[in-house]
mmCIF file of all heavy atoms in Angstrom:
data_model
loop_
_atom_site.group_PDB
_atom_site.id
_atom_site.type_symbol
_atom_site.label_atom_id
_atom_site.label_comp_id
_atom_site.label_asym_id
_atom_site.label_seq_id
_atom_site.Cartn_x
_atom_site.Cartn_y
_atom_site.Cartn_z
ATOM 1 N N ASP A 1 -6.279 4.478 -20.089
ATOM 2 C CA ASP A 1 -5.684 4.877 -21.373
ATOM 3 C C ASP A 1 -5.715 6.385 -21.545
ATOM 4 O O ASP A 1 -4.703 6.997 -21.925
ATOM 5 C CB ASP A 1 -6.455 4.219 -22.534
ATOM 6 C CG ASP A 1 -6.182 2.723 -22.646
ATOM 7 O OD1 ASP A 1 -5.200 2.256 -22.023
ATOM 8 O OD2 ASP A 1 -6.928 2.027 -23.350
ATOM 9 N N ILE A 2 -6.856 7.008 -21.246
ATOM 10 C CA ILE A 2 -6.989 8.460 -21.444
ATOM 11 C C ILE A 2 -6.057 9.201 -20.500
ATOM 12 O O ILE A 2 -5.555 10.276 -20.827
ATOM 13 C CB ILE A 2 -8.461 8.879 -21.274
ATOM 14 C CG1 ILE A 2 -9.316 8.323 -22.416
ATOM 15 C CG2 ILE A 2 -8.601 10.419 -21.213
ATOM 16 C CD1 ILE A 2 -10.791 8.631 -22.328
ATOM 17 N N ASP A 3 -5.799 8.623 -19.319
ATOM 18 C CA ASP A 3 -4.894 9.235 -18.376
ATOM 19 C C ASP A 3 -3.469 9.344 -18.921
ATOM 20 O O ASP A 3 -2.660 10.146 -18.418
ATOM 21 C CB ASP A 3 -4.886 8.438 -17.063
ATOM 22 C CG ASP A 3 -4.276 9.209 -15.911
ATOM 23 O OD1 ASP A 3 -4.569 10.417 -15.809
ATOM 24 O OD2 ASP A 3 -3.510 8.632 -15.132
ATOM 25 N N GLN A 4 -3.154 8.518 -19.938
ATOM 26 C CA GLN A 4 -1.817 8.549 -20.543
ATOM 27 C C GLN A 4 -1.709 9.580 -21.676
ATOM 28 O O GLN A 4 -0.639 9.827 -22.187
ATOM 29 C CB GLN A 4 -1.462 7.158 -21.133
ATOM 30 C CG GLN A 4 -1.694 5.984 -20.192
ATOM 31 C CD GLN A 4 -0.919 6.128 -18.904
ATOM 32 O OE1 GLN A 4 0.269 6.415 -18.916
ATOM 33 N NE2 GLN A 4 -1.612 5.935 -17.773
ATOM 34 N N TRP A 5 -2.837 10.165 -22.050
ATOM 35 C CA TRP A 5 -2.814 11.093 -23.176
ATOM 36 C C TRP A 5 -1.996 12.359 -22.842
ATOM 37 O O TRP A 5 -2.113 12.878 -21.732
ATOM 38 C CB TRP A 5 -4.222 11.528 -23.558
ATOM 39 C CG TRP A 5 -5.042 10.432 -24.196
ATOM 40 C CD1 TRP A 5 -4.700 9.129 -24.322
ATOM 41 C CD2 TRP A 5 -6.337 10.583 -24.778
ATOM 42 N NE1 TRP A 5 -5.708 8.424 -24.937
ATOM 43 C CE2 TRP A 5 -6.725 9.292 -25.239
ATOM 44 C CE3 TRP A 5 -7.205 11.649 -24.967
ATOM 45 C CZ2 TRP A 5 -7.943 9.076 -25.875
ATOM 46 C CZ3 TRP A 5 -8.417 11.431 -25.594
ATOM 47 C CH2 TRP A 5 -8.774 10.145 -26.041
ATOM 48 N N PRO A 6 -1.188 12.841 -23.772
ATOM 49 C CA PRO A 6 -0.417 14.061 -23.516
ATOM 50 C C PRO A 6 -1.299 15.284 -23.586
ATOM 51 O O PRO A 6 -2.405 15.253 -24.130
ATOM 52 C CB PRO A 6 0.611 14.059 -24.660
ATOM 53 C CG PRO A 6 -0.091 13.341 -25.770
ATOM 54 C CD PRO A 6 -0.941 12.287 -25.121
ATOM 55 N N PHE A 7 -0.805 16.392 -23.038
ATOM 56 C CA PHE A 7 -1.539 17.672 -23.159
ATOM 57 C C PHE A 7 -1.498 18.116 -24.608
ATOM 58 O O PHE A 7 -0.456 18.041 -25.244
ATOM 59 C CB PHE A 7 -0.878 18.726 -22.274
ATOM 60 C CG PHE A 7 -1.712 19.958 -22.095
ATOM 61 C CD1 PHE A 7 -2.743 19.987 -21.155
ATOM 62 C CD2 PHE A 7 -1.502 21.083 -22.880
ATOM 63 C CE1 PHE A 7 -3.522 21.126 -21.004
ATOM 64 C CE2 PHE A 7 -2.292 22.217 -22.719
ATOM 65 C CZ PHE A 7 -3.301 22.224 -21.781
ATOM 66 N N PRO A 8 -2.622 18.563 -25.178
ATOM 67 C CA PRO A 8 -2.639 18.913 -26.599
ATOM 68 C C PRO A 8 -1.736 20.105 -26.923
ATOM 69 O O PRO A 8 -1.642 21.055 -26.134
ATOM 70 C CB PRO A 8 -4.105 19.254 -26.866
ATOM 71 C CG PRO A 8 -4.675 19.595 -25.528
ATOM 72 C CD PRO A 8 -3.935 18.760 -24.554
ATOM 73 N N GLU A 9 -1.085 20.043 -28.074
ATOM 74 C CA GLU A 9 -0.251 21.152 -28.552
ATOM 75 C C GLU A 9 -0.660 21.471 -29.983
ATOM 76 O O GLU A 9 -0.746 20.600 -30.849
ATOM 77 C CB GLU A 9 1.224 20.762 -28.528
ATOM 78 C CG GLU A 9 1.815 20.610 -27.146
ATOM 79 C CD GLU A 9 3.311 20.303 -27.216
ATOM 80 O OE1 GLU A 9 4.090 21.248 -27.443
ATOM 81 O OE2 GLU A 9 3.674 19.123 -27.107
ATOM 82 N N ALA A 10 -0.911 22.753 -30.233
ATOM 83 C CA ALA A 10 -1.331 23.179 -31.573
ATOM 84 C C ALA A 10 -0.209 22.906 -32.568
ATOM 85 O O ALA A 10 0.951 23.179 -32.313
ATOM 86 C CB ALA A 10 -1.658 24.666 -31.559
ATOM 87 N N GLY A 11 -0.608 22.350 -33.723
ATOM 88 C CA GLY A 11 0.369 22.086 -34.784
ATOM 89 C C GLY A 11 1.170 20.817 -34.596
ATOM 90 O O GLY A 11 2.061 20.541 -35.381
ATOM 91 N N HIS A 12 0.851 20.031 -33.564
ATOM 92 C CA HIS A 12 1.590 18.794 -33.283
ATOM 93 C C HIS A 12 0.659 17.592 -33.444
ATOM 94 O O HIS A 12 -0.534 17.681 -33.172
ATOM 95 C CB HIS A 12 2.171 18.786 -31.873
ATOM 96 C CG HIS A 12 3.296 19.740 -31.683
ATOM 97 N ND1 HIS A 12 3.108 21.103 -31.594
ATOM 98 C CD2 HIS A 12 4.633 19.527 -31.569
ATOM 99 C CE1 HIS A 12 4.281 21.706 -31.435
ATOM 100 N NE2 HIS A 12 5.221 20.776 -31.411
ATOM 101 N N THR A 13 1.217 16.477 -33.872
ATOM 102 C CA THR A 13 0.466 15.234 -33.966
ATOM 103 C C THR A 13 0.596 14.488 -32.647
ATOM 104 O O THR A 13 1.710 14.256 -32.163
ATOM 105 C CB THR A 13 0.997 14.361 -35.117
ATOM 106 O OG1 THR A 13 0.838 15.089 -36.347
ATOM 107 C CG2 THR A 13 0.200 13.067 -35.205
ATOM 108 N N LEU A 14 -0.531 14.118 -32.074
ATOM 109 C CA LEU A 14 -0.561 13.429 -30.779
ATOM 110 C C LEU A 14 -0.833 11.943 -30.981
ATOM 111 O O LEU A 14 -1.608 11.561 -31.869
ATOM 112 C CB LEU A 14 -1.637 14.024 -29.881
ATOM 113 C CG LEU A 14 -1.646 15.563 -29.726
ATOM 114 C CD1 LEU A 14 -2.846 15.990 -28.880
ATOM 115 C CD2 LEU A 14 -0.354 16.038 -29.096
ATOM 116 N N GLN A 15 -0.234 11.117 -30.171
ATOM 117 C CA GLN A 15 -0.481 9.664 -30.176
ATOM 118 C C GLN A 15 -1.369 9.363 -28.972
ATOM 119 O O GLN A 15 -0.920 9.484 -27.824
ATOM 120 C CB GLN A 15 0.851 8.897 -30.079
ATOM 121 C CG GLN A 15 1.880 9.272 -31.121
ATOM 122 C CD GLN A 15 1.485 8.822 -32.525
ATOM 123 O OE1 GLN A 15 0.788 7.821 -32.684
ATOM 124 N NE2 GLN A 15 1.951 9.553 -33.519
ATOM 125 N N LEU A 16 -2.598 8.952 -29.217
ATOM 126 C CA LEU A 16 -3.576 8.742 -28.145
ATOM 127 C C LEU A 16 -3.962 7.268 -28.084
ATOM 128 O O LEU A 16 -4.725 6.783 -28.900
ATOM 129 C CB LEU A 16 -4.829 9.592 -28.379
ATOM 130 C CG LEU A 16 -4.600 11.080 -28.677
ATOM 131 C CD1 LEU A 16 -5.938 11.784 -28.892
ATOM 132 C CD2 LEU A 16 -3.844 11.758 -27.562
ATOM 133 N N PRO A 17 -3.441 6.516 -27.101
ATOM 134 C CA PRO A 17 -3.813 5.098 -26.977
ATOM 135 C C PRO A 17 -5.233 4.959 -26.449
ATOM 136 O O PRO A 17 -5.649 5.701 -25.559
ATOM 137 C CB PRO A 17 -2.804 4.569 -25.958
ATOM 138 C CG PRO A 17 -2.440 5.763 -25.123
ATOM 139 C CD PRO A 17 -2.503 6.942 -26.040
ATOM 140 N N LEU A 18 -5.993 4.019 -27.011
ATOM 141 C CA LEU A 18 -7.356 3.775 -26.533
ATOM 142 C C LEU A 18 -7.789 2.363 -26.894
ATOM 143 O O LEU A 18 -7.981 2.055 -28.083
ATOM 144 C CB LEU A 18 -8.334 4.790 -27.115
ATOM 145 C CG LEU A 18 -9.755 4.746 -26.526
ATOM 146 C CD1 LEU A 18 -9.735 5.181 -25.072
ATOM 147 C CD2 LEU A 18 -10.713 5.635 -27.303
ATOM 148 N N MET A 19 -7.894 1.504 -25.913
ATOM 149 C CA MET A 19 -8.442 0.162 -26.061
ATOM 150 C C MET A 19 -7.794 -0.622 -27.203
ATOM 151 O O MET A 19 -8.470 -1.153 -28.083
ATOM 152 C CB MET A 19 -9.959 0.214 -26.258
ATOM 153 C CG MET A 19 -10.683 0.960 -25.143
ATOM 154 S SD MET A 19 -12.456 0.918 -25.299
ATOM 155 C CE MET A 19 -12.749 -0.793 -24.810
ATOM 156 N N GLY A 20 -6.473 -0.662 -27.195
ATOM 157 C CA GLY A 20 -5.749 -1.438 -28.199
ATOM 158 C C GLY A 20 -5.561 -0.725 -29.520
ATOM 159 O O GLY A 20 -5.057 -1.310 -30.476
ATOM 160 N N ASN A 21 -5.966 0.523 -29.603
ATOM 161 C CA ASN A 21 -5.776 1.331 -30.802
ATOM 162 C C ASN A 21 -4.887 2.506 -30.446
ATOM 163 O O ASN A 21 -4.742 2.878 -29.285
ATOM 164 C CB ASN A 21 -7.104 1.861 -31.342
ATOM 165 C CG ASN A 21 -8.070 0.767 -31.684
ATOM 166 O OD1 ASN A 21 -7.952 0.129 -32.722
ATOM 167 N ND2 ASN A 21 -9.012 0.501 -30.792
ATOM 168 N N VAL A 22 -4.285 3.112 -31.442
ATOM 169 C CA VAL A 22 -3.547 4.351 -31.274
ATOM 170 C C VAL A 22 -4.170 5.395 -32.211
ATOM 171 O O VAL A 22 -4.172 5.222 -33.434
ATOM 172 C CB VAL A 22 -2.049 4.201 -31.596
ATOM 173 C CG1 VAL A 22 -1.356 5.565 -31.457
ATOM 174 C CG2 VAL A 22 -1.407 3.175 -30.667
ATOM 175 N N MET A 23 -4.731 6.456 -31.617
ATOM 176 C CA MET A 23 -5.345 7.498 -32.407
ATOM 177 C C MET A 23 -4.300 8.573 -32.684
ATOM 178 O O MET A 23 -3.682 9.101 -31.757
ATOM 179 C CB MET A 23 -6.521 8.110 -31.654
ATOM 180 C CG MET A 23 -7.542 7.079 -31.199
ATOM 181 S SD MET A 23 -8.929 7.813 -30.301
ATOM 182 C CE MET A 23 -9.803 8.569 -31.646
ATOM 183 N N GLN A 24 -4.077 8.864 -33.952
ATOM 184 C CA GLN A 24 -3.118 9.891 -34.343
ATOM 185 C C GLN A 24 -3.904 11.166 -34.675
ATOM 186 O O GLN A 24 -4.635 11.203 -35.641
ATOM 187 C CB GLN A 24 -2.307 9.441 -35.559
ATOM 188 C CG GLN A 24 -1.410 8.238 -35.268
ATOM 189 C CD GLN A 24 -0.641 7.777 -36.476
ATOM 190 O OE1 GLN A 24 -0.946 8.175 -37.602
ATOM 191 N NE2 GLN A 24 0.352 6.940 -36.245
#
């Protein structure tokens, strides 16, 4: 899941999948 996380960008909302959840 973490391998799918995008590179962080300042001022942007990221969608982070983790174990059946999506962290915004």
Side-chain angles (χ1 to χ4, degrees):
D1 288 345
I2 292 178
D3 196 41
Q4 310 303 311
W5 289 8
F7 192 82
E9 290 183 79
H12 289 74
T13 299
L14 310 176
Q15 307 290 331
L16 310 180
L18 188 67
M19 304 185 74
N21 301 281
V22 177
M23 307 180 73
Q24 295 178 346

